[in-house]
Amino acid sequence: GVAGAGLLVAATFAALAWANSPWGASYEQLWHTELAVRFGAAEIAMDLQHWVNDGLMVFFFFLVGMEVRRELSMGELVQRSRLTVPALAAIAGLVLPALIYLAVNAGGAGAAGWGIPMATDTAFLLGALALFGRDCPIQLRVFLLSLSVVDDIGALSAIAVFYSDEIDPIALAVAGLCVLAFIGLSRMQVWRGPAYFAVGVVMWVAMYESGVHATIGGVVLGLLVSAYPPRRAEVERAGSLARAFRQSPEPALAREAKLSVERAVSPNERIGAVLVPWSSYLVVPVFALANAGVRIDGALLERALSSPVTIGVFAGLVAGKLLGVGLAATLAVRLRLGVLPPGVGLGSVWSGAALTGLGFTVSLFVTDLAFDDVALQEEATVGILAATVVSTAVGAVCFRLLRRGGGAAPRPTRLDPPVDPAVDHIRGPVDAPLTLVEYGDMECPFCGRATGVVAELRSRFGDDLRYVFRHLPLPEVHPHAQLAAEAVEAAGAQGAFWEMHDRLFAHQDRLDAPDLLEHAAVLGLDLERFARELGDGTHGQRIRDDVAGAEASGVRGTPTFFVNGIRHQGRAGTDDLAAALLRTDPRGTPAERATSPAPSAEVRRPVPLSPPARLPTVEGLVETPDLTGASPRLDARQLAVLRRAGRRRATRAGEVLVQGGASDWDFVVVLEGTVAVVEDPEPGDGDEPRVVSVSGPGRFLGGLNMLAGQRAVRSVVVAEPGAVVTLGVERLREVLAADRELADVIMRAFLLRRAMLIGHASGLRVVGDPRWPASVALQEVLTEHGLAHRWLDPAEDEAARTMLAEIDALEEARPVVVASDGRVLIDPTADDLLRAAGSHRVG
């Protein structure tokens, strides 16, 4: 980041100031002081500068290896299709600088330094980009980071192959055994740092003695540190152990909870969290302090101006990197070998290419490997420092010109992809004329506040507005956002997307895995399926698709709104968005619509609240009495409360107000006319749905399942046209919270309906494979006596399989019958079945 790059610059200036001060001799004296480590007759002796370069820098290269592994396993490089252009650009940015250097130094004393201008300093690059490329899309940073990873792989490969001394096979074999030991510790799930550190120390010594540079061992070990998304099972286990520890704070529980937390996060991320600050704020600055201190006097400058080494390094880094990266990316795009990320143009790529000439850290490192001659090291260092200054200046100028319109790709303003009812989550009629799309982050507090704005807009525009929510989690600032987004999608897979959406925004302080399970339980979801889909990352691709859409649409933060397909800019208050909706209404402004001729009665098509359904004829049905109290008639005061809270609309015969099985619905209060409640047929009832009841004015329709955010069980269809009031679940909850009398009436009715539904749905459950001969015989008995029942196939239901295994019925291919009171019947007779079924018969 910027802070690490700033500290690196400060260390560089400190080294130069120290080396060129009156105390410059002390600089040389300090870094050339010998430090020896002896163990019996064995000894490793180096000066302090080489202890920094060969020892301390191992941590830096270890983190480079881990970064490569992380990007390949769970980062940008997971999607290999995005890698083509940055990979080709990185390869050209490695090869062309080396060729330029060799063209200047071929056959000379400095020919061995061709690897110096190859590498890019990722920390410097990203720091400079943060300063000069602030207005560029975030996708440019992702592009350059991908390029840097490939660049690191190439540069490190060159160091390993071409800058190693004579190889000692025995020592190299020992290093190989250390690699196997490292892998073994990981496979055995040893989580103790000292064990890995001990293996690392032995491997460093072996690599030092082998002739291959010791830092390559750090890279290899870094590549072996596994990286994976947080393991949901361990997250949940850690939450359970933490709660157990809170109740009983024992040392054993504390240790187990700590280990469970550690296992939930990949070793790559855990180690990185510990070592990255040490590398950025200590290792790399100390390296710069030890290597950048060149005494720059007239003699060195005069020598450097004509030195092939200085010229080769400077030209390779400044020109070679710029041309290699820029030309390769341009050709790859022109030849359609790959595409740039959405919102990134070639102008941005060329500006970023100028910054790839910042090869500082690795270039200084290769300088020390390539040259034993101090004079050549000084000349190369001057070239590196000069290239760092010039590349930074060129990049800054390019980005400045880019901001002034010198070739930056315009930031997209149109929604891409457009709303697709088959894919997107939509609130409101799918064919509403007005569309509001929000890209949001479940943990973003501004998105949480925006829910009120959206609710007001939906209330204001009614059925003229459809609202779409798309995900844009920002895990760098909101660590729970990704998992929360997947939780909403997992709930959506069970028909409760909007219920979970609303609940998480209402509880943004409770987004840990255990909290998400509690939310799912409150909504009545299938917890086993919900937890499994979160743990498996089932819906991760859906989130990535939304993020890709956000990139293509020019979204930079959350919340971002699109009004009728165009990105909204400026304030996002209720009035601002309402004005934008009216201004871009495809039907024209309100004034234009008022003066336009009204459509004829023949072509006018009312928009139903939900899609058409296969329903019986309901016209002419009379209202059924409420004998159970499950559908009480509300009094005038209660109706007035609901009329003020809800939305009034006229109805037409046959209109579907609530679709059975739908996840998006409203509660209904009948004001005029009648509505019929319809349910799907049960076995033996025929193929047609049947009318359960007919409700007239003053009746309230809805169920406890709907209040819990579950799918509607039955359909509600207009029998006699009139008028109704509709309320969403959150609005009804607000009303019930404010009016205790009304809440008591409605909640008691809900409970009575649930009791009736339980009584109606209860019956026999048959556990077994329907294809077993015994199952076929049992099916004949059930059908003969008209007994309502439901099959649970052990091939599809884990609980059914477990139950049969416990009573040894699975091996015998023998079904069992579970009565409504929980009794298990094995080999039941017809009389047993009739007694168990009670009144639940089809015929």
Side-chain angles (χ1 to χ4, degrees):
V2 176
L7 195 56
L8 183 58
V9 171
T12 302
F13 278 117
L16 288 170
W18 186 1
N20 289 277
S21 71
W23 305 278
S26 65
Y27 178 88
E28 295 292 331
Q29 183 179 1
L30 172 66
W31 295 113
H32 288 90
T33 300
E34 185 178 77
L35 175 64
V37 176
R38 295 184 179 87
F39 187 78
E43 178 185 82
I44 297 178
M46 295 185 288
D47 60 31
L48 287 181
Q49 184 185 45
H50 282 90
W51 274 110
V52 171
N53 294 355
D54 297 2
L56 202 58
M57 284 296 285
V58 169
F59 292 98
F60 170 80
F61 284 101
F62 176 71
L63 288 173
V64 170
M66 287 209 311
E67 180 184 17
V68 172
R69 173 63 182 270
R70 184 167 58 252
E71 292 299 320
L72 289 171
S73 299
M74 52 186 288
E76 290 299 322
L77 303 188
V78 170
Q79 299 183 13
R80 303 296 190 256
S81 59
R82 294 189 177 188
L83 187 56
T84 304
V85 177
L88 292 174
I91 292 170
L94 290 166
V95 174
L96 187 58
L99 293 177
I100 290 175
Y101 182 91
L102 285 173
V104 178
N105 287 272
W114 57 268
I116 297 173
M118 289 178 63
T120 295
D121 189 309
T122 305
F124 253 145
L125 170 66
L126 297 181
L129 182 66
L131 289 175
F132 307 124
R134 293 186 300 273
D135 297 329
C136 286
I138 191 173
Q139 292 77 24
L140 177 61
R141 183 183 186 278
V142 174
F143 176 87
L144 292 176
L145 182 60
S146 301
L147 183 150
S148 296
V149 171
V150 179
D151 183 280
D152 286 341
I153 294 172
L156 293 171
S157 300
I159 292 172
V161 176
F162 298 104
Y163 289 100
S164 296
D165 299 327
E166 185 176 346
I167 305 299
D168 182 339
I170 296 178
L172 199 59
V174 173
L177 291 175
C178 290
V179 171
L180 295 178
F182 197 92
I183 295 173
L185 288 173
S186 178
R187 293 287 176 83
M188 291 187 295
Q189 296 188 344
V190 176
W191 307 101
R192 289 303 195 182
Y196 290 92
F197 183 76
V199 173
V201 170
V202 174
M203 184 173 179
W204 182 87
V205 174
M207 293 291 289
Y208 177 82
E209 296 293 339
S210 72
V212 178
H213 200 275
T215 53
I216 298 301
V219 176
V220 172
L221 293 184
L223 288 169
L224 296 176
V225 179
S226 59
Y228 48 78
R231 291 176 170 171
R232 299 274 67 82
E234 290 292 348
V235 170
E236 294 160 14
R237 175 172 167 76
S240 300
L241 290 170
R243 287 192 292 272
F245 175 73
R246 186 167 61 243
Q247 297 169 358
S248 179
E250 299 176 357
L253 274 176
R255 181 177 180 277
E256 194 173 354
K258 177 177 178 293
L259 289 176
S260 185
V261 169
E262 290 176 349
R263 289 168 183 153
V265 181
S266 74
N268 193 295
E269 293 180 286
R270 285 189 286 109
I271 295 173
V274 174
L275 292 186
V276 165
W278 286 97
S279 176
S280 300
Y281 302 134
L282 177 64
V283 174
V284 176
V286 168
F287 171 81
L289 189 64
N291 289 271
V294 177
R295 187 171 185 83
I296 302 177
D297 52 23
L300 175 58
L301 290 177
E302 183 178 354
R303 197 170 79 240
L305 288 174
S306 59
S307 167
V309 172
T310 304
I311 295 171
V313 170
F314 179 83
L317 285 170
V318 176
K321 280 290 187 180
L322 172 63
L323 295 175
V325 172
L327 287 175
T330 301
L331 287 174
V333 172
R334 295 281 188 257
L335 296 176
R336 297 185 178 179
L337 300 177
V339 295
L340 295 174
V344 176
L346 287 173
S348 299
V349 171
W350 278 91
S351 300
L355 295 179
T356 60
L358 296 166
F360 190 83
T361 304
V362 180
S363 294
L364 288 175
F365 186 81
V366 177
T367 297
D368 181 63
L369 298 178
F371 301 133
D372 294 326
D373 188 327
V374 175
L376 293 178
Q377 289 181 355
E378 291 176 343
E379 292 167 12
T381 301
V382 170
I384 294 168
L385 295 174
T388 299
V389 174
V390 172
S391 293
T392 303
V394 172
V397 170
C398 288
F399 279 113
R400 185 176 182 85
L401 293 174
L402 202 61
R403 286 196 298 270
R404 292 184 176 182
R411 183 182 170 197
T413 59
R414 188 168 293 279
L415 183 67
D416 183 14
V419 173
D420 182 355
V423 176
D424 282 302
H425 301 286
I426 299 176
R427 241 177 181 166
V430 296
D431 55 354
L434 304 178
T435 301
L436 181 68
V437 178
E438 177 187 357
Y439 276 100
D441 175 311
M442 304 308 299
E443 199 174 359
C444 169
F446 303 105
C447 296
R449 295 172 197 160
T451 56
V453 173
V454 172
E456 291 180 21
L457 289 171
R458 292 187 65 230
S459 176
R460 183 179 299 187
F461 286 93
D463 291 336
D464 283 345
L465 176 66
R466 62 177 182 175
Y467 166 68
V468 176
F469 183 86
R470 291 180 177 176
H471 301 282
L472 182 59
L474 305 174
E476 291 184 357
V477 291
H478 301 136
H480 304 99
Q482 175 68 30
L483 187 61
E486 293 186 34
V488 177
E489 289 297 328
Q494 300 187 43
F497 177 89
W498 291 111
E499 294 76 11
M500 183 64 83
H501 167 280
D502 295 345
R503 185 168 181 82
L504 295 193
F505 272 131
H507 300 86
Q508 287 186 302
D509 58 334
R510 295 179 52 211
L511 298 180
D512 285 330
D515 296 325
L516 296 177
L517 286 176
E518 290 181 14
H519 295 316
V522 170
L523 296 179
L525 302 183
D526 180 339
L527 289 183
E528 188 274 335
R529 175 184 174 187
F530 181 83
R532 184 180 66 251
E533 290 182 354
L534 279 189
D536 293 345
T538 301
H539 304 285
Q541 186 58 50
R542 169 57 190 265
I543 310 302
R544 289 191 288 273
D545 290 343
D546 278 1
V547 172
E551 294 176 356
S553 306
V555 178
R556 290 183 177 173
T558 56
T560 295
F561 290 95
F562 285 79
V563 176
N564 295 320
I566 303 299
R567 179 162 43 80
H568 178 72
Q569 302 184 47
R571 294 184 70 256
T574 304
D575 293 337
D576 306 283
L577 289 172
L581 285 164
L582 293 172
R583 188 172 57 252
T584 59
D585 190 331
R587 302 167 299 178
T589 65
E592 292 170 342
R593 294 202 303 275
T595 58
S596 61
S600 64
E602 289 75 19
V603 299
R604 194 168 185 176
R605 295 287 187 271
V607 179
L609 280 179
S610 52
R614 185 171 61 89
L615 300 167
T617 302
V618 294
E619 291 85 352
L621 298 178
V622 297
E623 184 175 3
T624 53
D626 176 32
L627 301 178
T628 64
S631 299
R633 198 179 306 276
L634 304 179
D635 61 29
R637 186 197 71 80
Q638 295 164 345
L639 287 174
V641 171
L642 294 174
R643 274 201 302 268
R644 288 194 299 270
R647 186 170 67 245
R648 189 182 191 279
R649 60 172 288 114
T651 59
R652 59 184 177 84
E655 181 178 359
V656 180
L657 301 180
V658 176
Q659 174 69 63
S663 58
D664 200 8
W665 34 256
D666 287 316
F667 292 93
V668 176
V669 182
V670 183
L671 297 180
E672 303 169 17
T674 58
V675 299
V677 178
V678 180
E679 72 176 6
D680 290 335
E682 291 195 355
D685 284 349
D687 295 330
E688 291 298 319
R690 65 187 184 89
V691 175
V692 176
S693 63
V694 179
S695 298
R699 295 281 185 85
F700 179 91
L701 289 93
L704 198 59
N705 59 302
M706 297 169 69
L707 192 65
Q710 300 169 1
R711 291 178 181 269
V713 175
R714 295 167 172 169
S715 299
V716 177
V717 188
V718 177
E720 180 184 341
V724 297
V725 169
T726 58
L727 301 92
V729 62
E730 292 301 330
R731 190 62 179 138
L732 179 63
R733 285 183 177 138
E734 294 174 4
V735 171
L736 298 184
D739 193 319
R740 298 184 64 178
E741 178 189 347
L742 181 60
D744 183 68
V745 172
I746 291 178
M747 293 304 297
R748 288 180 183 277
F750 279 169
L751 292 171
L752 287 170
R753 291 177 200 165
R754 173 57 61 88
M756 292 170 59
L757 186 63
I758 292 172
H760 178 75
S762 61
L764 302 179
R765 286 174 294 160
V766 184
V767 183
D769 189 329
R771 296 166 297 183
W772 290 340
S775 298
V776 175
L778 178 62
Q779 178 69 54
E780 293 175 354
V781 175
L782 293 169
T783 303
E784 178 184 350
H785 292 84
L787 300 179
H789 60 279
R790 184 163 60 97
W791 282 90
L792 298 177
D793 191 339
E796 301 174 356
D797 191 305
E798 178 66 29
R801 186 161 56 252
T802 302
M803 177 181 177
L804 291 177
E806 287 178 351
I807 59 176
D808 297 325
L810 191 61
E811 296 278 340
E812 301 174 16
R814 179 180 56 174
V816 299
V817 177
V818 182
S820 57
D821 59 4
R823 288 178 297 136
V824 177
L825 308 177
I826 302 174
D827 295 328
T829 64
D831 290 339
D832 293 334
L833 293 173
L834 289 171
R835 282 193 296 271
S839 61
H840 306 295
R841 299 181 61 177
V842 176

PDB file of all heavy atoms in Angstrom, residues 55 82 96 126 173 266 283 289 307 357 381 432 470 512 538 556 624 646 697 720:
ATOM      1  N   GLY A  55      19.130 -13.560   4.048  1.00  0.00           N
ATOM      2  CA  GLY A  55      18.394 -14.079   5.193  1.00  0.00           C
ATOM      3  C   GLY A  55      17.068 -13.375   5.415  1.00  0.00           C
ATOM      4  O   GLY A  55      16.000 -13.971   5.284  1.00  0.00           O
ATOM      5  N   ARG A  82      -9.377 -14.304 -17.410  1.00  0.00           N
ATOM      6  CA  ARG A  82      -8.963 -12.926 -17.168  1.00  0.00           C
ATOM      7  C   ARG A  82      -7.448 -12.762 -17.197  1.00  0.00           C
ATOM      8  O   ARG A  82      -6.941 -11.663 -17.078  1.00  0.00           O
ATOM      9  CB  ARG A  82      -9.478 -12.459 -15.798  1.00  0.00           C
ATOM     10  CG  ARG A  82     -10.985 -12.368 -15.692  1.00  0.00           C
ATOM     11  CD  ARG A  82     -11.369 -11.701 -14.379  1.00  0.00           C
ATOM     12  NE  ARG A  82     -12.807 -11.521 -14.272  1.00  0.00           N
ATOM     13  CZ  ARG A  82     -13.390 -10.825 -13.295  1.00  0.00           C
ATOM     14  NH1 ARG A  82     -12.658 -10.256 -12.369  1.00  0.00           N
ATOM     15  NH2 ARG A  82     -14.692 -10.701 -13.241  1.00  0.00           N
ATOM     16  N   LEU A  96      11.519  -8.036 -23.108  1.00  0.00           N
ATOM     17  CA  LEU A  96      12.042  -6.864 -23.818  1.00  0.00           C
ATOM     18  C   LEU A  96      13.082  -6.094 -23.001  1.00  0.00           C
ATOM     19  O   LEU A  96      14.139  -5.706 -23.548  1.00  0.00           O
ATOM     20  CB  LEU A  96      10.883  -5.951 -24.235  1.00  0.00           C
ATOM     21  CG  LEU A  96      11.275  -4.776 -25.142  1.00  0.00           C
ATOM     22  CD1 LEU A  96      11.943  -5.273 -26.412  1.00  0.00           C
ATOM     23  CD2 LEU A  96      10.034  -3.931 -25.481  1.00  0.00           C
ATOM     24  N   LEU A 126       1.856  -0.428  -6.841  1.00  0.00           N
ATOM     25  CA  LEU A 126       0.521  -0.176  -6.301  1.00  0.00           C
ATOM     26  C   LEU A 126       0.472   1.120  -5.515  1.00  0.00           C
ATOM     27  O   LEU A 126      -0.547   1.821  -5.509  1.00  0.00           O
ATOM     28  CB  LEU A 126       0.084  -1.360  -5.435  1.00  0.00           C
ATOM     29  CG  LEU A 126      -0.063  -2.700  -6.170  1.00  0.00           C
ATOM     30  CD1 LEU A 126      -0.515  -3.783  -5.208  1.00  0.00           C
ATOM     31  CD2 LEU A 126      -1.033  -2.585  -7.333  1.00  0.00           C
ATOM     32  N   ALA A 173      19.085 -32.030  -2.049  1.00  0.00           N
ATOM     33  CA  ALA A 173      18.210 -33.137  -1.652  1.00  0.00           C
ATOM     34  C   ALA A 173      17.655 -32.915  -0.253  1.00  0.00           C
ATOM     35  O   ALA A 173      16.489 -33.210   0.031  1.00  0.00           O
ATOM     36  CB  ALA A 173      18.973 -34.451  -1.727  1.00  0.00           C
ATOM     37  N   SER A 266      -7.692 -19.940   6.158  1.00  0.00           N
ATOM     38  CA  SER A 266      -6.576 -20.660   5.551  1.00  0.00           C
ATOM     39  C   SER A 266      -5.248 -20.207   6.146  1.00  0.00           C
ATOM     40  O   SER A 266      -5.082 -19.041   6.520  1.00  0.00           O
ATOM     41  CB  SER A 266      -6.558 -20.445   4.039  1.00  0.00           C
ATOM     42  OG  SER A 266      -6.119 -19.150   3.719  1.00  0.00           O
ATOM     43  N   VAL A 283      11.284  -5.448   6.896  1.00  0.00           N
ATOM     44  CA  VAL A 283      12.206  -6.191   6.034  1.00  0.00           C
ATOM     45  C   VAL A 283      12.588  -5.381   4.805  1.00  0.00           C
ATOM     46  O   VAL A 283      13.780  -5.163   4.520  1.00  0.00           O
ATOM     47  CB  VAL A 283      11.585  -7.543   5.620  1.00  0.00           C
ATOM     48  CG1 VAL A 283      12.473  -8.244   4.600  1.00  0.00           C
ATOM     49  CG2 VAL A 283      11.380  -8.430   6.847  1.00  0.00           C
ATOM     50  N   LEU A 289      17.659   0.248   2.973  1.00  0.00           N
ATOM     51  CA  LEU A 289      18.684   0.966   3.734  1.00  0.00           C
ATOM     52  C   LEU A 289      20.061   0.327   3.522  1.00  0.00           C
ATOM     53  O   LEU A 289      21.088   1.021   3.451  1.00  0.00           O
ATOM     54  CB  LEU A 289      18.312   0.945   5.218  1.00  0.00           C
ATOM     55  CG  LEU A 289      19.147   1.822   6.157  1.00  0.00           C
ATOM     56  CD1 LEU A 289      18.976   3.298   5.817  1.00  0.00           C
ATOM     57  CD2 LEU A 289      18.748   1.562   7.605  1.00  0.00           C
ATOM     58  N   SER A 307      28.258   4.488 -18.798  1.00  0.00           N
ATOM     59  CA  SER A 307      28.348   3.075 -18.438  1.00  0.00           C
ATOM     60  C   SER A 307      27.272   2.264 -19.156  1.00  0.00           C
ATOM     61  O   SER A 307      26.073   2.579 -19.052  1.00  0.00           O
ATOM     62  CB  SER A 307      28.189   2.904 -16.927  1.00  0.00           C
ATOM     63  OG  SER A 307      27.978   1.548 -16.598  1.00  0.00           O
ATOM     64  N   GLY A 357       8.025   0.197 -14.662  1.00  0.00           N
ATOM     65  CA  GLY A 357       9.473   0.428 -14.635  1.00  0.00           C
ATOM     66  C   GLY A 357      10.017   0.617 -13.235  1.00  0.00           C
ATOM     67  O   GLY A 357      11.237   0.789 -13.054  1.00  0.00           O
ATOM     68  N   THR A 381      23.027   0.392  -9.581  1.00  0.00           N
ATOM     69  CA  THR A 381      22.170   1.042  -8.592  1.00  0.00           C
ATOM     70  C   THR A 381      21.762   2.431  -9.048  1.00  0.00           C
ATOM     71  O   THR A 381      20.598   2.841  -8.887  1.00  0.00           O
ATOM     72  CB  THR A 381      22.880   1.112  -7.235  1.00  0.00           C
ATOM     73  OG1 THR A 381      23.217  -0.203  -6.806  1.00  0.00           O
ATOM     74  CG2 THR A 381      21.991   1.761  -6.192  1.00  0.00           C
ATOM     75  N   ALA A 432     -43.283  -3.896 -14.729  1.00  0.00           N
ATOM     76  CA  ALA A 432     -43.543  -2.502 -14.362  1.00  0.00           C
ATOM     77  C   ALA A 432     -42.773  -1.568 -15.291  1.00  0.00           C
ATOM     78  O   ALA A 432     -41.668  -1.895 -15.742  1.00  0.00           O
ATOM     79  CB  ALA A 432     -43.154  -2.256 -12.910  1.00  0.00           C
ATOM     80  N   ARG A 470     -28.768  -6.220  -6.612  1.00  0.00           N
ATOM     81  CA  ARG A 470     -27.617  -7.013  -7.036  1.00  0.00           C
ATOM     82  C   ARG A 470     -26.494  -6.834  -6.018  1.00  0.00           C
ATOM     83  O   ARG A 470     -26.377  -5.783  -5.400  1.00  0.00           O
ATOM     84  CB  ARG A 470     -27.147  -6.595  -8.440  1.00  0.00           C
ATOM     85  CG  ARG A 470     -28.121  -6.973  -9.551  1.00  0.00           C
ATOM     86  CD  ARG A 470     -27.625  -6.538 -10.908  1.00  0.00           C
ATOM     87  NE  ARG A 470     -28.510  -6.957 -11.985  1.00  0.00           N
ATOM     88  CZ  ARG A 470     -28.334  -6.638 -13.268  1.00  0.00           C
ATOM     89  NH1 ARG A 470     -27.292  -5.899 -13.627  1.00  0.00           N
ATOM     90  NH2 ARG A 470     -29.185  -7.061 -14.182  1.00  0.00           N
ATOM     91  N   ASP A 512     -22.132 -12.817  11.422  1.00  0.00           N
ATOM     92  CA  ASP A 512     -21.251 -13.981  11.511  1.00  0.00           C
ATOM     93  C   ASP A 512     -22.029 -15.238  11.116  1.00  0.00           C
ATOM     94  O   ASP A 512     -23.260 -15.237  11.070  1.00  0.00           O
ATOM     95  CB  ASP A 512     -20.716 -14.145  12.947  1.00  0.00           C
ATOM     96  CG  ASP A 512     -19.633 -13.126  13.250  1.00  0.00           C
ATOM     97  OD1 ASP A 512     -18.929 -12.737  12.305  1.00  0.00           O
ATOM     98  OD2 ASP A 512     -19.503 -12.731  14.421  1.00  0.00           O
ATOM     99  N   THR A 538     -22.031 -22.709  -2.758  1.00  0.00           N
ATOM    100  CA  THR A 538     -22.921 -22.993  -3.883  1.00  0.00           C
ATOM    101  C   THR A 538     -23.272 -21.744  -4.671  1.00  0.00           C
ATOM    102  O   THR A 538     -23.375 -21.771  -5.894  1.00  0.00           O
ATOM    103  CB  THR A 538     -24.218 -23.663  -3.373  1.00  0.00           C
ATOM    104  OG1 THR A 538     -23.877 -24.865  -2.684  1.00  0.00           O
ATOM    105  CG2 THR A 538     -25.170 -23.965  -4.515  1.00  0.00           C
ATOM    106  N   ARG A 556     -18.448   1.848  -8.599  1.00  0.00           N
ATOM    107  CA  ARG A 556     -17.230   1.956  -7.806  1.00  0.00           C
ATOM    108  C   ARG A 556     -17.459   1.790  -6.313  1.00  0.00           C
ATOM    109  O   ARG A 556     -16.501   1.644  -5.550  1.00  0.00           O
ATOM    110  CB  ARG A 556     -16.566   3.315  -8.059  1.00  0.00           C
ATOM    111  CG  ARG A 556     -15.978   3.445  -9.448  1.00  0.00           C
ATOM    112  CD  ARG A 556     -15.276   4.773  -9.609  1.00  0.00           C
ATOM    113  NE  ARG A 556     -14.635   4.902 -10.908  1.00  0.00           N
ATOM    114  CZ  ARG A 556     -14.073   6.013 -11.346  1.00  0.00           C
ATOM    115  NH1 ARG A 556     -14.084   7.093 -10.593  1.00  0.00           N
ATOM    116  NH2 ARG A 556     -13.515   6.053 -12.543  1.00  0.00           N
ATOM    117  N   THR A 624     -68.191 -17.991   2.312  1.00  0.00           N
ATOM    118  CA  THR A 624     -68.324 -19.082   3.279  1.00  0.00           C
ATOM    119  C   THR A 624     -68.255 -18.508   4.688  1.00  0.00           C
ATOM    120  O   THR A 624     -67.488 -17.579   4.963  1.00  0.00           O
ATOM    121  CB  THR A 624     -67.203 -20.110   3.083  1.00  0.00           C
ATOM    122  OG1 THR A 624     -65.945 -19.437   3.109  1.00  0.00           O
ATOM    123  CG2 THR A 624     -67.351 -20.825   1.755  1.00  0.00           C
ATOM    124  N   GLY A 646     -51.746   0.296   4.275  1.00  0.00           N
ATOM    125  CA  GLY A 646     -51.515  -0.460   3.046  1.00  0.00           C
ATOM    126  C   GLY A 646     -51.764   0.326   1.784  1.00  0.00           C
ATOM    127  O   GLY A 646     -51.862   1.556   1.789  1.00  0.00           O
ATOM    128  N   PRO A 697     -66.079  -8.655   2.243  1.00  0.00           N
ATOM    129  CA  PRO A 697     -65.567  -7.415   2.826  1.00  0.00           C
ATOM    130  C   PRO A 697     -65.268  -7.550   4.318  1.00  0.00           C
ATOM    131  O   PRO A 697     -66.022  -8.182   5.066  1.00  0.00           O
ATOM    132  CB  PRO A 697     -66.701  -6.419   2.569  1.00  0.00           C
ATOM    133  CG  PRO A 697     -67.414  -6.963   1.368  1.00  0.00           C
ATOM    134  CD  PRO A 697     -67.344  -8.458   1.514  1.00  0.00           C
ATOM    135  N   GLU A 720     -65.538 -11.995  -6.949  1.00  0.00           N
ATOM    136  CA  GLU A 720     -66.391 -10.886  -7.370  1.00  0.00           C
ATOM    137  C   GLU A 720     -65.556  -9.609  -7.326  1.00  0.00           C
ATOM    138  O   GLU A 720     -64.937  -9.311  -6.306  1.00  0.00           O
ATOM    139  CB  GLU A 720     -67.585 -10.759  -6.417  1.00  0.00           C
ATOM    140  CG  GLU A 720     -68.530  -9.622  -6.776  1.00  0.00           C
ATOM    141  CD  GLU A 720     -69.652  -9.472  -5.753  1.00  0.00           C
ATOM    142  OE1 GLU A 720     -69.885 -10.445  -5.003  1.00  0.00           O
ATOM    143  OE2 GLU A 720     -70.258  -8.405  -5.688  1.00  0.00           O
TER     144      GLU A 720
END
